[in-house]
Structures are given as structure tokens and as C-alpha cells.
Amino acid sequence: MFRNKSFDGMPNSEGSDGSQQNKARSRRCCRCCTCKCCSIATAVTVVLVFVVLLAVYFGFGYPIHASCNINWVFSQNCSSVNSSLIDQMEMWTSRNNCMDGGQKCLYTFISSSSTELKGTHTTPVAGYVDDMTFTFTDPQDSTTTCNVKAFSTSRVWYAYLDFGTNYCNLRNLADGAGLTSGSNFSEVTRDGICTQYTSRNCEVY
């Protein structure tokens, strides 16, 4: 028997509906699989980050994030120290001082008060930004001595090792300002509070 030509070429509505349903189910499965893959990948990433943090902290004894804390004592009053650090930041704002290497450049002064100074340093090659804070304390209203808590930390959340860069951000600035040449100057820091302090090279970093 021949098919009625009036029905030839007409889509099978039941088959079409079934095909669409299969496609919809396939898309849902793909989305589901994608979500599961994303969840697994996220979980694996979190675990790896946690493992790296533990390795850095327990294996090397460094802070869990690239940073540096330093305690300084200068044989000048805090107002003078504050001004000297600001002047040095403003002297090293351009890239010019790093044309032959090193990182004694690209400092930015942010704000200052009688007790605190804030600034940033940008690494000239990779362009990473580190935040710096200097906290000033005049011991018993001394006019000839200033205690400073200096802190530098990387803005990059995944930075764990820094080749001593955060230490050098601070020390280069104090050296440049001539603050470390005083006879009563002292500095206290260590690997546990200052990333890679003992392997630093401030002529490079």
C-alpha cells in the first residue's frame, strides 16, 4: 500500500516531542555535570591552598601570607622620622630609579597622621602592589627616640613567598631616607613574622 501523500513529510508530533524532551534532559544533565565539576574543582582548589598554607607555615616557618613586620628604633623624634619617610616615598614615585634594576621606585604616599603613615609600593616588573603601614610611638614623650612598627603586605591573595620583597619595601625606604645610619638604630624581625627575611636581597627586591 502507498502512504497517503497528504501525510508525507509531516513531522511525527509524538517523535518530535520525545526528541525535544531528550534534548532537554541532556541539557539538564550537562548543566548538572558542569555544576558538579565546578564544585569538585573548587573543593580541590581549597584543599590545595590549605595544604600550601600549612607547608609554608610549618615547613618554612613563614607567615601564611606574604608580609613583613619590623620593629625599629630611630635616634630621632617621630615627627622627623615620619617626614623623612614621606619625603623618600615622594622621591621614589617614578620608575626612573629602577632603570638599572632593583625596586627602589614606584612608591606612593597615601596618608599620614602624627601616629601613622600609609603608602604602597609597586614591583616594577610584575606590577604587584604591596600596602605599607608605619605606626609611630614616642617612648615616654622622648624628643630624641622614635619606635616604629613597620608592616608591608601583598595585595595578591595567593602570595605566600616573596623573596623578601615585603621586607625590602620597608628597609629600602628607611635606608634611602638615611634613618638607619644613626648610632642608636635597631631593628627586630625574623622569618616567623617576615616572609623570607633571612634570604632577602634588597639590591634586587
Side-chain angles (χ1 to χ4, degrees), residues 1-9:
M1 294 179 62
F2 296 99
R3 290 179 298 175
N4 188 327
K5 291 185 178 181
S6 63
F7 291 96
D8 284 347

Side-chain angles (χ1 to χ4, degrees), residues 36-165:
K36 287 181 179 178
C37 289
C38 288
S39 299
I40 292 171
T42 300
V44 170
T45 300
V46 170
V47 170
L48 288 175
V49 169
F50 185 68
V51 169
V52 170
L53 287 173
L54 290 177
V56 169
Y57 185 73
F58 292 107
F60 299 101
Y62 301 139
I64 60 174
H65 183 71
S67 59
C68 185
N69 279 284
I70 307 175
N71 288 324
W72 284 326
V73 177
F74 297 113
S75 54
Q76 299 181 32
N77 63 56
C78 287
S79 176
S80 176
V81 172
N82 193 339
S83 297
S84 295
L85 291 171
I86 293 172
D87 290 345
Q88 195 60 42
M89 282 187 196
E90 294 181 337
M91 189 178 298
W92 283 349
T93 55
S94 73
R95 190 181 292 270
N96 294 340
N97 203 50
C98 294
M99 298 304 290
D100 296 323
Q103 300 205 35
K104 299 173 183 177
C105 62
L106 299 180
Y107 282 86
T108 301
F109 166 64
I110 301 298
S111 64
S112 176
S113 68
S114 61
T115 58
E116 187 177 78
L117 166 63
K118 288 183 177 292
T120 65
H121 177 254
T122 302
T123 59
V125 177
Y128 296 133
V129 179
D130 302 323
D131 292 301
M132 302 180 301
T133 303
F134 303 86
T135 304
F136 306 99
T137 306
D138 280 310
Q140 299 182 1
D141 300 323
S142 171
T143 58
T144 59
T145 306
C146 180
N147 294 337
V148 179
K149 292 183 181 296
F151 178 64
S152 177
T153 183
S154 174
R155 284 188 184 177
V156 179
W157 69 268
Y158 54 82
Y160 305 116
L161 302 177
D162 66 356
F163 302 99
T165 296

